[in-house]
Amino acid sequence: MKKNIAVFASGTGSNFININNEIKKNKINAKICLLISNNSNSGAVKFCINNKIDFFIYNDKKFPNDINNQKLIDKIIPYEIDLVLLAGYMKRISKNFIDLFDKKIMNIHPSLLPLYGGKGFYGMNVHNAVFSNKETQTGATIHFVDYNYDTGPILMQKKINIKKDKSPAQIAKKVLKIEHEIYPKAVNFFCENKILWEDNKPIIKE
Ligand code: GRF
């Protein structure tokens, strides 16, 4: 059975677009039913407009005081979503929303969590810190979402060697490349029902 996916993205949306492409190539048995974005000028929203994918702009300006994300929940429920993907989403998600999609919300983070995760570690901040600490390796992490930033159970990580990289920008480029490799894989494992849970840890059964 095809899984229904909702993606949350605030920016360029390259992970979202990449996953959508993999679905179109029949590499993943799923459908992206809805994009949620706080940013109506984002690349992710533009892609939806051009590709006739439903989207919903959800931000404080449009919905002031919606602290429990009720308006978001009301919007998403009719889509019968099986999996929620955070792909560069810059806003906090409420406990209510997370509880509604227990073990069904994944995030991608551009570091080897728990390193360089948590408040303030997003976008180039991550790669700048990795570079200035002279790390020899970094990578990307896919994890399920819990109530805090970047602390949920890890599903998958990929490491890369950055000894020869001369700038945070170079590192960022390399990391994004592996993000595009591992996020579709993780989504595919979910869609093929290959993720099992033992003691609150996700295990991939291939
Ligand atoms: C990625 O680096 C991802 O790890 C982080 O936000 C960025 C989103 O990039 N959570 P894009 O919008 O998918 O290009």
Side-chain angles (χ1 to χ4, degrees), residues 64-156:
N65 308 319
D66 190 34
I67 39 172
N68 292 322
N69 294 154
Q70 195 51 51
K71 300 277 189 236
L72 185 57
I73 291 171
D74 293 346
K75 175 72 190 183
I76 208 169
I77 292 239
Y79 285 89
E80 299 184 348
I81 294 299
D82 300 298
L83 175 65
V84 173
L85 300 176
L86 308 187
Y89 187 63
M90 303 302 285
K91 296 286 171 189
R92 185 176 272 284
I93 294 173
S94 73
K95 184 173 177 300
N96 287 15
F97 188 93
I98 293 170
D99 289 343
L100 193 64
F101 290 97
D102 183 37
K103 297 185 172 58
K104 291 178 182 166
I105 311 177
M106 285 184 194
N107 181 38
I108 184 155
H109 187 80
S111 75
L112 295 172
L113 289 175
L115 300 174
Y116 304 100
K119 212 167 187 302
F121 280 122
Y122 59 87
M124 282 310 289
N125 294 358
V126 174
H127 308 300
N128 288 335
V130 165
F131 183 74
S132 58
N133 288 342
K134 301 191 171 49
E135 299 285 2
T136 56
Q137 56 180 25
T138 187
T141 303
I142 312 286
H143 67 92
F144 284 90
V145 169
D146 66 7
Y147 301 142
N148 299 307
Y149 283 121
D150 304 327
T151 57
I154 291 175
L155 178 70
M156 214 186 240

Side-chain angles (χ1 to χ4, degrees), residues 7-14 16-17 20-21 34-57:
V7 181
F8 284 53
S10 303
T12 323
S14 74
F16 156 53
I17 294 165
N20 189 65
N21 288 343
L34 181 66
L35 173 93
I36 310 287
S37 185
N38 57 307
N39 178 4
S40 53
N41 294 316
S42 60
V45 168
K46 285 187 185 128
F47 184 81
C48 287
I49 294 169
N50 292 333
N51 292 276
K52 299 192 168 53
I53 297 171
D54 281 8
F55 64 93
F56 181 59
I57 305 296

Side-chain angles (χ1 to χ4, degrees), residues 20-28:
N20 189 65
N21 288 343
E22 294 299 296
I23 291 172
K24 292 286 162 250
K25 285 189 262 170
N26 291 323
K27 300 271 175 66
I28 304 172

